[in-house]
Amino acid sequence: MIETIKGFLILTGAVFMLLAALGILRLPDLLTRMHATTKAAALGVILIMLSVAMHFGEVAVVARAFAIIVFVLMTAPVAAHVIGRAGYFVGSKLWSGTVKDELRPNYDPLTHELKSGLETDINAVHKPRDNDPQ
């Protein structure tokens, strides 16, 4: 019975990783590709690590497998967010079917300033720094 569960977890994890790879190839823009790879690949890694923990059953291996799961859960969304935002800032084109662009009203592509939308008259004034280009 345990062999069946382990096999199912490995195969399901591999299928999710395959879907993540297909998402990179098939999806139209950076943001949708990041969404596919973060969600599907993270779930694939988690399922495979659960299978590894079940297969070996030793405390050291189980602890490492769960540490990997926690690490993936903590870092994958943050990395995808940072890469997606960097892509947006360098001018990566959005898909024509994108319905909402929440950064557009708050981001100035000329100065690369991103406003929070909570600025007042006092803190919205740009104060040049010493290292700003002239």
Side-chain angles (χ1 to χ4, degrees):
M1 178 67 179
I2 196 81
E3 297 296 324
T4 306
I5 294 172
K6 291 188 298 190
F8 176 75
L9 288 174
I10 288 176
L11 287 175
T12 308
V15 166
F16 275 106
M17 291 180 147
L18 177 66
L19 289 174
L22 290 175
I24 291 174
L25 297 174
R26 299 277 305 160
L27 292 173
D29 68 346
L30 174 72
L31 299 179
T32 55
R33 289 177 186 152
M34 292 304 302
H35 177 77
T37 56
T38 303
K39 306 292 188 226
L43 183 57
V45 168
I46 289 169
L47 292 174
I48 290 174
M49 285 297 113
L50 286 174
S51 176
V52 166
M54 290 175 66
H55 177 72
F56 289 102
E58 297 175 8
V59 175
V61 175
V62 171
R64 287 182 182 142
F66 282 116
I68 291 169
I69 290 171
V70 170
F71 180 76
V72 167
L73 284 175
M74 289 174 37
T75 58
V78 174
H81 176 81
V82 169
I83 292 170
R85 184 169 275 210
Y88 185 89
F89 289 164
V90 298
S92 177
K93 299 291 182 209
L94 296 178
W95 176 45
S96 61
T98 301
V99 177
K100 194 173 201 179
D101 183 2
E102 293 181 354
L103 285 179
R104 183 179 301 260
N106 297 319
Y107 176 64
D108 182 8
L110 298 175
T111 63
H112 297 292
E113 284 187 302
L114 180 63
K115 301 192 185 302
S116 67
L118 301 175
E119 287 81 12
T120 62
D121 291 335
I122 295 170
N123 67 7
V125 176
H126 176 71
K127 299 175 185 119
R129 294 182 221 130
D130 294 337
N131 59 354
D132 281 349
Q134 298 294 337

